[in-house]
Amino acid sequence: MAKAFASQGDMTEKTISFTEVGDGLYAFTAEGDPNSGVIIGDDSVMIVEAQATPRLAQKVIDCVRGVTDKPISHVVLTHYHAVRVLGASAFGADQIIMSDTARAMVAERGQEDWDSEFERFPRLFEGHESIPGLTWPTTTFSDSMTVYLGNRRVDIRQIGRAHTAGDTVIHVPDQNVMFTGDIVEYHSACYCGDGHYTDWGQTLDRIKAYDLDAIAPGRGDALIGSDMVNAAIENTRDFVDSTYAPVKRVVARGGTLKEAWDAVRAACDPKFSDYAIYEHCLPFNVARAYDEARGIDTPRVWTAERDKEMWAALQG
């Protein structure tokens, strides 16, 4: 390759924030790295997103122990990506929850995704030798399920395809707070390499209909207050639409992947070039948009070898 993926050279340690987004609800964020969420119930704690390795998961645990000594009973994984799930063993939870679709994606492409992301994100996989293997759920659901942490109700739902086909959101009704995974980002690029562009906007509409008081997004700062929540939803929508629309026009006239790349750069660079992981996401986003615009509904499996082939094609 002429040059490496953007994130291969990102070895700078990020500053962690642990922000209360509601009573007993926290967002663990780290300057555009994958976020985690914390839901404290009467007797136990639920974690949302497990980080890429047990070593990174321990940073979440350390923050939890700063606010409660209750045991961690549940880990909910919003989708199957390696940087979200491979740290799950560190929490020692009795239940690991995924949607049925997300579990199927672990079986279909989990190892390939792990190998691919390991190449893309070396800093996030420091301590990778402590990963015991693929993360499998103990509990799955088809559309929705409810967990009670004592009296605290937690609704876990699939409300539409977006970042992946198996996306899950977690809503805590007593505070009207949602943990959205990578369906919503804040000042961070959306990774769309496994995405569904034409469904994403409708899924955002369903989140917006909750009229939420706060969101813990997939990446970026916690979103507190309806103004910040709605601005992030609309900004995410703009990012997705601004990526897909120029690719769709290129495909309609029979253009090449490289032409689609150039068209997306022209549309998105002026608006999003300062976003976290923007340069990293862009090649994968363009490749997936090019496939979807040509009628390929199921995203192709990313492998380390396919990453390199795609990147070489985009470099011309």
Side-chain angles (χ1 to χ4, degrees):
M1 292 187 293
K3 63 178 182 177
F5 289 123
S7 293
Q8 287 180 323
D10 177 12
M11 300 302 292
T12 303
E13 194 73 16
K14 306 302 181 184
T15 300
I16 291 170
S17 298
F18 194 60
T19 306
E20 191 168 21
V21 294
D23 185 18
L25 307 175
Y26 295 86
F28 173 98
T29 67
E31 297 186 289
D33 276 359
N35 293 343
S36 289
V38 176
I39 302 171
I40 301 175
D42 293 332
D43 302 311
S44 68
V45 177
M46 176 182 286
I47 302 294
V48 179
E49 312 289 43
Q51 298 288 314
T53 66
R55 178 185 292 182
L56 282 175
Q58 187 60 49
K59 295 183 178 183
V60 179
I61 295 168
D62 291 344
C63 288
V64 172
R65 291 297 162 241
V67 294
T68 182
D69 60 0
K70 295 174 183 176
I72 296 169
S73 56
H74 299 75
V75 172
V76 182
L77 304 171
T78 66
H79 60 287
Y80 83 100
H81 284 153
V83 292
R84 298 289 180 181
V85 307
L86 293 179
S89 62
F91 295 99
D94 291 335
Q95 289 198 51
I96 299 175
I97 300 170
M98 279 184 184
S99 68
D100 288 335
T101 305
R103 188 198 185 282
M105 295 181 85
V106 173
E108 176 194 36
R109 58 183 71 196
Q111 186 62 55
E112 290 83 355
D113 179 73
W114 180 355
D115 295 342
S116 174
E117 293 199 355
F118 183 82
E119 292 282 338
R120 301 181 210 170
F121 288 109
R123 177 175 52 80
L124 293 182
F125 284 93
E126 290 178 355
H128 63 89
E129 62 280 355
S130 62
I131 301 170
L134 289 173
T135 297
W136 296 96
T138 63
T139 305
T140 64
F141 64 96
S142 56
D143 297 306
S144 66
M145 67 178 289
T146 295
V147 174
Y148 285 92
L149 301 174
N151 290 319
R152 167 157 272 177
R153 173 175 171 164
V154 181
D155 294 324
I156 306 168
R157 293 177 175 163
Q158 282 195 284
I159 59 173
R161 302 191 303 182
H163 176 67
T164 73
D167 289 343
T168 292
V169 298
I170 298 90
H171 183 233
V172 184
D174 68 78
Q175 297 291 297
N176 197 27
V177 171
M178 184 175 284
F179 300 81
T180 63
D182 286 316
I183 301 172
V184 177
E185 312 286 26
Y186 182 69
H187 213 76
S188 176
C190 301
Y191 173 74
C192 309
D194 282 318
H196 296 269
Y197 283 96
T198 54
D199 290 1
W200 206 313
Q202 292 179 337
T203 303
L204 289 172
D205 288 341
R206 294 179 187 120
I207 291 173
K208 193 170 185 178
Y210 278 82
D211 193 20
L212 296 159
D213 293 319
I215 282 177
R219 293 177 186 264
D221 294 345
L223 309 170
I224 300 173
S226 60
D227 288 348
M228 196 172 184
V229 163
N230 290 328
I233 290 171
E234 294 311 313
N235 190 255
T236 300
R237 189 194 311 275
D238 186 31
F239 184 95
V240 172
D241 291 348
S242 295
T243 304
Y244 189 57
V247 177
K248 192 174 180 181
R249 290 193 291 270
V250 168
V251 168
R253 62 175 172 77
T256 65
L257 178 64
K258 180 61 166 62
E259 289 171 331
W261 164 260
D262 292 338
V264 171
R265 294 224 71 129
C268 290
D269 282 7
K271 293 194 283 187
F272 307 117
S273 61
D274 64 336
Y275 277 26
I277 69 167
Y278 174 74
E279 291 293 341
H280 166 81
C281 289
L282 202 63
F284 302 96
N285 293 358
V286 173
R288 171 56 192 152
Y290 191 74
D291 279 355
E292 184 168 331
R294 292 183 298 144
I296 299 174
D297 182 67
T298 301
R300 291 189 285 160
V301 177
W302 287 102
T303 65
E305 293 73 22
R306 186 184 167 213
D307 290 355
K308 294 179 176 66
E309 291 170 3
M310 175 269 295
W311 187 233
L314 292 178
Q315 295 306 296

